[in-house]
Amino acid sequence: MKIPGLGGNRLLKSKSPERKSKTITQPLAHWHPRIRQLLDWTVTVGSVLLCLWLLPTRLPGMELLGIGPNWLLIWVVAWSVKRPVFVGALAGIVLGMLQDGFTSPDPTHALSLGIVGMLTSLIQKQRFIQEDFISIALIVFVMAVLSETIFGLQLTLMRDGYGGQSLRQVESIWKYYQVVALASSILSSLWAPVVYYPLNRWWQQMKLLDQS
C-alpha cells in the first residue's frame, strides 16, 4: 500500500537541489558572458590572494606544533581535481612561484605544488562524487605529505650541493620534516572543505551557465 504523502515528500526532496541551483544561477544568467567571465576570474584570483594571506596567519584552531594549514596546496587540489593534467600542473607551478615570492625561492615551492596539481588531476575523482568532503580531505592529506617530502628532499640536495653535510644533519632535517609533514597534512585535510566547497560550487555554477 502506497502512502501519497510519502511519495510527495520524496519528489519534493529530489527537486530541492535543482531548485537551489536554479535560484543561484538565475541572476547571473542574465549577465553578459564577458562580465560573468570577469567575475569568475575575480573570484578565482581573489581566493588565491586570500590563501596567500592566510598562509602565515595563525588563528585559533589553525596551528599544530607551530605549523599551519597549507592553504595554497588545498587550493591547488580544489582546482586540479576536475581539470586536465596540464592545467593542474600549471596552476601548481604558478602558485608555487607566488609562494616563493612571499617566502624564499630556494628551495622552490613550484616543483612540489606542480607535482601535486599534476597528480591530483590524474585521480579518478568520479568514484567519490557522493563523498566529496572525505575524498578531498584524503587527497589533501596525501598530497601534503608528498609536498613536504619533496621540499625536504630539495633542501637536502641543496645543502649537499653547497659543500656537503654530515649524516647527522641529514637525519635532523628529515626528522623535522616528518613532524612538519604530519602536522601540515592533518591541518590541511581538516580545513580542505572550507576552501573546496565554496570554490567547487562556484566553478560548477559558472560551468553550467557557460553550457546553457
Side-chain angles (χ1 to χ4, degrees):
M1 179 177 179
K2 294 184 179 179
I3 302 176
L6 292 177
N9 289 336
R10 288 179 181 177
L11 289 174
L12 288 174
K13 289 181 180 179
S14 62
K15 290 181 180 179
S16 59
E18 296 179 2
R19 289 179 179 177
K20 288 181 180 179
S21 177
K22 289 180 180 179
T23 303
I24 295 173
T25 55
Q26 275 180 355
L28 294 175
H30 300 291
W31 291 24
H32 193 276
R34 290 186 179 179
I35 297 178
R36 284 204 309 264
Q37 187 177 15
L38 179 62
L39 178 62
D40 185 24
W41 280 107
T42 302
V43 171
T44 301
V45 174
S47 64
V48 172
L49 295 177
L50 179 61
C51 288
L52 278 171
W53 177 76
L54 286 173
L55 208 58
T57 306
R58 296 293 182 267
L59 299 176
M62 292 186 182
E63 185 177 1
L64 180 63
L65 301 176
I67 308 299
N70 193 334
W71 296 104
L72 290 181
L73 182 140
I74 298 172
W75 195 98
V76 171
V77 170
W79 170 268
S80 306
V81 75
K82 294 179 181 178
R83 286 179 171 82
V85 175
F86 175 76
V87 177
L90 181 61
I93 292 171
V94 172
L95 265 65
M97 294 174 68
L98 288 175
Q99 188 172 358
D100 289 345
F102 276 81
T103 55
S104 172
D106 200 9
T108 180
H109 297 84
L111 177 62
S112 57
L113 288 182
I115 293 175
V116 166
M118 179 186 69
L119 293 179
T120 303
S121 299
L122 290 172
I123 293 175
Q124 296 296 328
K125 178 66 171 59
Q126 289 78 5
R127 299 179 183 178
F128 307 104
I129 286 177
Q130 295 180 352
E131 298 178 302
D132 270 336
F133 289 169
I134 298 175
S135 60
I136 289 299
L138 180 60
I139 293 170
V140 169
F141 184 92
V142 174
M143 293 302 168
V145 173
L146 176 64
S147 176
E148 295 298 341
T149 302
I150 294 172
F151 193 82
L153 182 60
Q154 286 185 88
L155 187 61
T156 303
L157 295 175
M158 182 186 70
R159 290 196 174 186
D160 188 53
Y162 281 116
Q165 55 188 332
S166 65
L167 181 61
R168 183 175 297 178
Q169 288 176 320
V170 174
E171 289 179 353
S172 64
I173 290 174
W174 284 106
K175 282 183 180 179
Y176 172 73
Y177 272 97
Q178 285 176 0
V179 176
V180 171
L182 183 60
S184 177
S185 58
I186 291 174
L187 284 175
S188 299
S189 60
L190 289 175
W191 284 95
V194 176
V195 177
Y196 171 78
Y197 180 75
L199 285 178
N200 181 62
R201 186 169 179 81
W202 172 261
W203 289 329
Q204 282 183 340
Q205 299 301 329
M206 291 297 102
K207 186 177 180 180
L208 289 174
L209 287 172
D210 291 338
Q211 292 175 350
S212 61

